Amino acid sequence: MKFDKVELANVAIRTTQYPTDNKPEFLMLGRSNVGKSSFINTLVNRKSLARTSAKPGKTQTLNFYNIDDMCYIVDVPGYGYAAVSNAKQEKFGLMIEEYIMNRPNLKHVFLLIDYRHKPTENDLIMYDFLKYYNLPVTVVCTKYDKIKKSGRDKQNKLIENTIDIAYGDEIVYFSKVTKVGRDKIIEVINSKITE
Ligand code: GTP
Ligand code: MG
C-alpha cells in the first residue's frame, strides 16, 4: 500500500450509494472526537483528507476513500456524542448498522478508542456488536502521546482488562503526533488485501 492515490470516491447515506466495484473495505469506527479523521489522515499521509476538528460531530455520512484502486477506507460518523441530537445519533447508528450488515466486502474494522480513558460502555457495546457479526477487529488506542511514559503500563492494563479481546483480534497503540502504530495498521490492511 503506497497511498499514491487517495480519493474520496463515494459519499453515502444509503446502500445504493456505496461503491460497486467490489474491492475490500476497511471500516474506521469510534466515538465522536476520538481521532478517526486524524487516524485516516496519518495513515494515508495527507494533512486534511478527512476533515478534523476540535468540534465533534463533523462527519455525518459514510465516506469511502479509494486507496490506490486497491481498497476503500470507510469513515463514518462518531457515536455517543451528547451535543449531537439523539434523533441524529439514532439515524447515524442505523446507517452504520445497515452498512455492517450488508457488506460482504467489509474485511476488517478498526475500532478507535481514546487511550487516555477507560473504554466507555458504548465502546464495549460496539466491540460486542462487531464480534456478533464475526468481523475481525483491531482496537486502536488513539492519542497515545497524551499519556506520559510512566503512566503507560497502568493504562495498557486498564484497557486490556476492560475489553475482552477475542481470539485473533489485537490492540494497537496509536498517535498522530509520533505516528506510533501506523506501520502495524498498514501491515493489517496489506495482509487482508492479499488474503
Ligand atoms: P468527529 O468526526 O468530529 O467525530 O471526530 P474525529 O473522531 O474524526 O476526531 P478528529 O480526528 O477530528 O480529532 C479530534 C481532536 O483530537 C482534534 O483536535 C485532533 O487534533 C485531536 N487528536 C486526534 N488524534 C490525536 C493524537 O493521536 N494525538 C493528539 N495529541 N491529538 C489527537
Ligand atoms: Mg471525523
Side-chain angles (χ1 to χ4, degrees):
M1 196 66 28
K2 287 193 178 138
F3 304 109
D4 289 332
K5 174 174 173 179
V6 181
E7 276 174 11
L8 180 59
N10 294 60
V11 173
I13 54 172
R14 57 182 72 87
T15 54
T16 54
Q17 297 165 324
Y18 299 168
T20 52
D21 50 1
N22 216 28
K23 296 200 164 69
E25 288 174 359
F26 298 89
L27 174 63
M28 311 295 178
L29 203 57
R31 187 176 61 72
S32 191
N33 209 38
V34 71
K36 266 190 317 298
S37 298
S38 301
F39 174 71
I40 294 171
N41 289 335
T42 304
L43 198 61
V44 304
N45 270 326
R46 301 292 195 278
K47 274 215 173 68
S48 55
L49 177 78
R51 268 188 252 151
T52 62
S53 66
K55 202 169 145 250
K58 192 126 189 158
T59 310
Q60 307 217 340
T61 48
L62 306 181
N63 299 330
F64 294 79
Y65 293 96
N66 175 336
I67 310 296
D68 292 335
D69 293 326
M70 301 268 291
C71 67
Y72 290 98
I73 282 176
V74 189
D75 188 17
V76 303
Y79 54 80
Y81 188 67
V84 175
S85 73
N86 279 340
K88 215 169 207 182
Q89 285 202 45
E90 197 170 311
K91 212 178 79 193
F92 291 166
L94 290 172
M95 189 166 74
I96 295 168
E97 205 172 315
E98 186 177 39
Y99 169 75
I100 289 171
M101 291 166 59
N102 295 294
R103 210 54 181 163
N105 45 327
L106 171 57
K107 293 297 172 207
H108 196 91
V109 182
F110 295 97
L111 177 61
L112 277 58
I113 67 171
D114 192 323
Y115 181 61
R116 297 170 298 174
H117 310 296
K118 187 177 172 181
T120 67
E121 199 53 39
N122 278 334
D123 292 334
L124 301 177
I125 290 171
M126 193 52 80
Y127 185 70
D128 287 345
F129 177 76
L130 296 168
K131 295 325 291 179
Y132 178 79
Y133 286 99
N134 285 319
L135 287 159
V137 179
T138 299
V139 175
V140 179
C141 302
T142 62
K143 312 192 187 186
Y144 187 65
D145 59 285
K146 289 222 178 185
I147 287 192
K148 52 180 197 282
K149 276 203 178 82
S150 59
R152 287 179 187 165
D153 276 351
K154 192 176 151 223
Q155 198 62 17
N156 294 3
K157 284 212 181 71
L158 175 68
I159 289 169
E160 284 161 25
N161 291 336
T162 308
I163 303 189
D164 188 14
I165 289 286
Y167 179 76
D169 288 352
E170 63 181 330
I171 297 176
V172 172
Y173 300 101
F174 182 86
S175 162
K176 79 162 192 181
V177 179
T178 66
K179 314 226 183 308
V180 64
R182 180 176 181 270
D183 290 351
K184 179 70 219 176
I185 303 297
I186 292 173
E187 203 181 295
V188 171
I189 292 177
N190 277 330
S191 75
K192 298 282 168 158
I193 284 177
T194 53
E195 215 165 48

